[in-house]
Amino acid sequence: PGDAISVVKLPSNLTTDTTHKYGPNSFKIHGLPVPRPGHVLGLLGTNGTGKSTALSILLGRIKPNLGKVTAPFPDWSDIVTYYRGSDLQNYFSGILENKLRVVIKPQLEASFAKRLSGKKVRDLMEARDERKIMDRVVKDLELGHCLDREVQQLSGGELQRF
């Protein structure tokens, strides 16, 4: 249908209204899509644009830090207050009160993911680096920034490259 997809052009470096930030001078998300009851929410975008992070926030798996990369970090009541007056206030309240059920289709097959759970990218790559080419592979696949993360923390694009 004609209104099934809307394209929104975003500025490259916003300085206010940060939803989540991984560290100083690093990736950040501004705003979140608003899920609607009975509707499917799909996110399209290039690798590394925050699709997986946004979904993890909407699932309640990641608590949005509202741009704060040092303590004290916001708790859920701060987050709900931050979104006061918006649909996201009701959404996060529903998630926290177990009044909403959210379903996603994971990108990683469950039994495979379970075997990798809790393991760091670097450790797994080093264990398989028989030809001693890990540094080149990491550079070519742009995985350097996620070597110390656990596999289940990777975005969809990072996971595909890994």
Side-chain angles (χ1 to χ4, degrees):
D3 63 346
I5 296 176
S6 62
V7 177
V8 179
K9 185 175 179 182
L10 296 175
S12 60
N13 191 16
L14 298 172
T15 56
T16 60
D17 300 323
T18 301
T19 299
H20 192 75
K21 187 173 181 179
Y22 279 107
N25 302 315
S26 74
F27 174 79
K28 55 187 172 177
I29 292 178
H30 295 274
L32 291 169
V34 180
R36 304 270 184 235
H39 290 81
V40 173
L41 172 66
L43 300 179
L44 302 174
T46 58
N47 289 344
T49 56
K51 300 176 300 292
S52 296
T53 300
L55 287 176
S56 292
I57 290 170
L58 291 172
L59 288 167
R61 291 181 183 166
I62 293 178
K63 189 182 338 176
N65 61 21
L66 307 179
K68 297 179 188 226
V69 295
T70 58
F73 299 106
D75 60 22
W76 277 112
S77 65
D78 297 325
I79 294 162
V80 170
T81 300
Y82 178 81
Y83 288 107
R84 185 179 324 152
S86 74
D87 290 333
L88 286 170
Q89 176 189 12
N90 295 330
Y91 178 82
F92 283 126
S93 293
I95 290 287
L96 295 172
E97 296 166 5
N98 291 319
K99 293 181 179 176
L100 278 179
R101 189 182 96 163
V102 183
V103 180
I104 65 163
K105 181 205 168 289
Q107 291 184 311
L108 189 58
E109 194 268 319
S111 66
F112 181 68
K114 190 177 282 189
R115 289 195 313 260
L116 298 179
S117 181
K119 296 182 180 170
K120 303 247 183 206
V121 171
R122 179 187 312 275
D123 297 337
L124 291 167
M125 290 186 75
E126 286 174 347
R128 301 271 189 235
D129 189 21
E130 296 171 357
R131 296 188 293 161
K132 306 299 179 205
I133 59 171
M134 181 176 143
D135 290 339
R136 189 183 88 214
V137 170
V138 166
K139 182 177 183 250
D140 290 348
L141 297 178
E142 300 177 6
L143 291 171
H145 67 283
C146 58
L147 286 174
D148 295 319
R149 295 200 339 234
E150 293 181 5
V151 173
Q152 68 268 23
Q153 295 173 322
L154 298 178
S155 73
E158 291 166 341
L159 187 59
Q160 289 173 7
R161 294 192 313 272
F162 168 69

